[in-house]
Amino acid sequence: MTAETAMKILVVDDFSATRQVVKNTLEQFGFNNIEEVADGYSALVRLKSALFDFVIMDWGISQMSGLDLLKQIRADPELKHIPVLMVTEDHLQENVVVAIKAGLNDYIIRPFEANIFAEKLEKIFQDLNLP
């Protein structure tokens, strides 16, 4: 990974096992400043109370959908710059199109291979000119 591995990442998913898989994958790439929450409301509270550099979230989270959380992030002047990667089982094309129109940086379908995950991160970092 060429990205700054000290960046602070928020992982949002209802299922702790899924959050752990994402966290373990990120740690394999050298990221170790990772927080996790189980729902959209908690994610928004954390995002507003701490500085995060990146959000990785599921489409189908509780309290508010991943799409609603994305829209909240993009509507907030303090948060709108944060890149968002959606990790989801839901690979319906219309959902992906709606999310990208709402400002999603990229998505990956679960279960994912570590190398595909790494490619998605690299693409986002390149698109945003991150180190």
Side-chain angles (χ1 to χ4, degrees):
M1 297 253 73
T2 58
E4 177 57 60
T5 54
M7 68 180 2
K8 191 170 186 177
I9 300 173
L10 182 65
V11 177
V12 188
D13 198 296
D14 287 15
F15 297 103
S16 61
T18 304
R19 290 193 309 270
Q20 194 60 49
V21 167
V22 171
K23 189 174 177 184
N24 290 347
T25 304
L26 288 167
E27 288 171 349
Q28 287 175 19
F29 303 145
F31 295 96
N32 54 19
N33 194 358
I34 304 163
E35 288 190 33
E36 50 184 277
V37 294
D39 63 76
Y41 178 77
S42 298
L44 204 51
V45 168
R46 287 300 300 136
L47 286 165
K48 288 177 180 277
S49 66
L51 294 174
F52 284 90
D53 302 302
F54 202 89
V55 176
I56 300 173
M57 67 177 165
D58 187 29
W59 177 275
I61 50 178
S62 61
Q63 303 293 326
M64 69 175 73
S65 72
L67 180 61
D68 289 339
L69 176 56
L70 175 66
K71 288 177 178 178
Q72 292 274 344
I73 291 169
R74 292 297 177 244
D76 188 317
E78 299 291 317
L79 305 177
K80 67 181 182 181
H81 68 281
I82 301 173
V84 178
L85 175 68
M86 198 170 282
V87 180
T88 184
E89 293 173 357
D90 189 357
H91 57 277
L92 297 174
Q93 190 63 37
E94 59 269 18
N95 288 351
V96 171
V97 169
V98 168
I100 289 172
K101 284 182 179 175
L104 182 68
N105 295 87
D106 211 336
Y107 70 96
I108 188 168
I109 304 301
R110 185 176 50 233
F112 56 82
E113 306 264 335
N115 63 325
I116 302 296
F117 193 90
E119 288 173 15
K120 295 286 186 173
L121 292 177
E122 286 287 346
K123 182 182 180 303
I124 291 170
F125 297 149
Q126 287 172 359
D127 290 348
L128 299 172
N129 295 317
L130 294 175

